[in-house]
């Protein structure tokens, strides 16, 4: 019986070897910002986060394995919004989407999303060991906040994805003027005075785009359709339903 019990303990330890123990993570400092209090942390970029439905930010300085990491954990209210703010921040990464459905590893920073949370881990030592530790910290944080669930990718996007495509590299989600202007600034007049929309933008290899737009009302969809039918070269439209339009945009839109 003792032998069996000892074997079970060894097995349990082996299973969790790669997961950071709470005792290994020393939280040196923690600050919390809720709602518009975010302006006190990042005055310049707060509007974009609030546009996506930001709720709360936890900022932590962590000592892990003798190195210091700066961690930002954003509660963005839902998985769509978490991906949206992630899609605005993730670029020029190597690799993309290594561990989670969407994550991004760039020099001295790791970003990832899970459920309604967007996470950033920043570290000074740009080494393979520090990057691996950042992955462990991300796993710890997502477990700590019980992050779960994923955003739903529109069918039109899924149909146009290639097996080798990385979502973090080719897809953006926008829900209001600030986020949308970062992606298609030259055509923002098409969305003028429209109340509410969800826009998914898939960038293709030839720089053309597949766009799915879900409007809050049929009236807004009709107005948008009227606008793009007036001398909008390089753009074709498919009416998915009374409030959803799918666009194919040639390079240069």
């Amino acid at each position: 019986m003792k032998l069996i019990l000892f074997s079970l303990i060894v097995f349990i330890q082996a299973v969790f070897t790669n997961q950071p123990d709470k005792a290994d993570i020393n939280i040196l400092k923690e600050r919390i910002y809720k709602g518009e209090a975010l302006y006190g942390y990042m005055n310049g970029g707060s509007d974009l986060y609030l546009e996506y439905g930001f709720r709360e930010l936890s900022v932590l300085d962590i000592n892990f394995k003798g190195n210091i990491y700066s961690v930002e954990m954003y509660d963005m209210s839902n998985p769509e919004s978490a991906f949206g703010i992630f899609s605005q921040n993730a670029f020029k990464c190597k690799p993309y989407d290594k561990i989670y459905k969407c994550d991004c590893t760039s020099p001295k920073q790791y970003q990832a999303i899970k459920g309604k949370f967007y996470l950033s881990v920043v570290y000074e030592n740009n080494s393979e060991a520090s990057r691996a530790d950042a992955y462990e910290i991300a796993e710890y944080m997502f477990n700590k906040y019980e992050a779960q669930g994923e955003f739903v990718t529109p069918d039109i996007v899924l149909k146009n994805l290639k097996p080798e495509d990385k979502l973090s590299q080719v897809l953006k989600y926008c829900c209001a003027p600030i986020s949308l202007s970062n992606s298609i600034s030259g055509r923002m007049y098409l969305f003028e005075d429209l109340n509410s929309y969800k826009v998914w933008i898939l960038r293709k290899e030839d720089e053309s785009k597949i766009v799915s737009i879900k409007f809050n009302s049929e009236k807004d969809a009709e107005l948008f359709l009227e606008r793009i039918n007036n001398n909008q070269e390089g753009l074709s439209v498919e009416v998915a339903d009374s409030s959803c339009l799918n666009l194919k945009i040639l390079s240069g839109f």
Side-chain angles (χ1 to χ4, degrees):
M1 179 63 71
K2 289 183 179 180
L3 179 60
I4 295 175
L5 180 60
F6 176 75
S7 299
L8 180 60
I9 292 173
V10 171
F11 173 75
I12 292 173
Q13 289 176 337
V15 168
F16 290 98
T17 296
N18 294 324
Q19 298 190 17
D21 190 293
K22 186 176 181 180
D24 295 334
I25 292 182
N26 183 14
I27 299 176
L28 305 176
K29 186 177 182 181
E30 182 173 6
R31 290 150 286 166
I32 296 176
Y33 302 85
K34 296 184 178 182
E36 293 190 357
L38 185 63
Y39 287 111
Y41 181 69
M42 55 158 76
N43 187 41
S46 298
D47 288 338
L48 179 63
Y49 284 77
L50 291 166
E51 183 178 86
Y52 275 110
F54 164 81
R55 285 184 178 174
E56 182 174 303
L57 165 64
S58 296
V59 181
L60 305 94
D61 295 332
I62 288 177
N63 185 323
F64 183 49
K65 298 182 181 178
N67 294 313
I68 305 300
Y69 298 83
S70 297
V71 179
E72 298 175 341
M73 190 73 163
Y74 294 84
D75 180 345
M76 297 302 300
S77 75
N78 62 66
E80 279 185 346
S81 294
F83 174 74
I85 196 65
F86 170 84
S87 72
Q88 297 289 330
N89 290 320
F91 52 89
K92 295 183 179 179
C93 295
K94 291 183 180 180
Y96 286 100
D97 304 348
K98 178 179 180 179
I99 298 175
Y100 297 96
K101 181 177 181 179
C102 290
D103 62 5
C104 172
T105 304
S106 54
K108 298 186 178 181
Q109 184 182 27
Y110 176 64
Q111 302 173 75
I113 58 169
K114 187 173 182 181
K116 63 176 182 172
F117 294 98
Y118 160 62
L119 170 77
S120 168
V121 182
V122 175
Y123 41 93
E124 286 299 319
N125 185 8
N126 187 29
S127 65
E128 187 61 40
S130 292
R131 288 190 287 274
D133 288 349
Y135 301 152
E136 289 195 61
I137 291 172
E139 181 180 13
Y140 168 80
M141 294 297 294
F142 285 138
N143 287 337
K144 174 182 174 65
Y145 285 83
E146 299 181 347
Q148 56 185 340
E150 294 182 346
F151 64 90
V152 177
T153 309
D155 290 340
I156 187 67
V157 171
L158 291 174
K159 288 193 296 186
N160 285 277
L161 281 174
K162 295 180 179 180
E164 65 271 21
D165 284 339
K166 303 295 185 182
L167 288 181
S168 298
Q169 189 173 17
V170 300
L171 185 63
K172 289 186 179 295
Y173 168 67
C174 310
C175 62
I178 300 175
S179 56
L180 190 59
S181 66
N182 289 340
S183 301
I184 51 174
S185 58
R187 302 300 175 109
M188 283 301 296
Y189 64 88
L190 293 171
F191 294 85
E192 187 176 351
D193 299 325
L194 301 183
N195 294 320
S196 180
Y197 44 79
K198 297 180 178 181
V199 184
W200 296 85
I201 304 173
L202 174 66
R203 189 181 74 252
K204 305 292 288 179
E205 287 182 355
D206 60 0
E207 295 303 318
S208 65
K209 299 179 179 72
I210 303 295
V211 181
S212 175
I213 309 174
K214 179 71 174 179
F215 291 98
N216 194 43
S217 70
E218 294 182 12
K219 182 180 179 181
D220 282 354
E222 291 171 359
L223 180 56
F224 186 87
L225 188 58
E226 180 181 327
R227 289 174 178 174
I228 65 174
N229 283 336
N230 293 330
N231 301 317
Q232 292 293 328
E233 296 181 3
L235 185 153
S236 61
V237 61
E238 167 191 289
V239 180
D241 60 46
S242 59
S243 60
C244 184
L245 305 176
N246 296 326
L247 310 180
K248 184 172 183 180
I249 305 171
L250 298 182
S251 177
F253 177 83

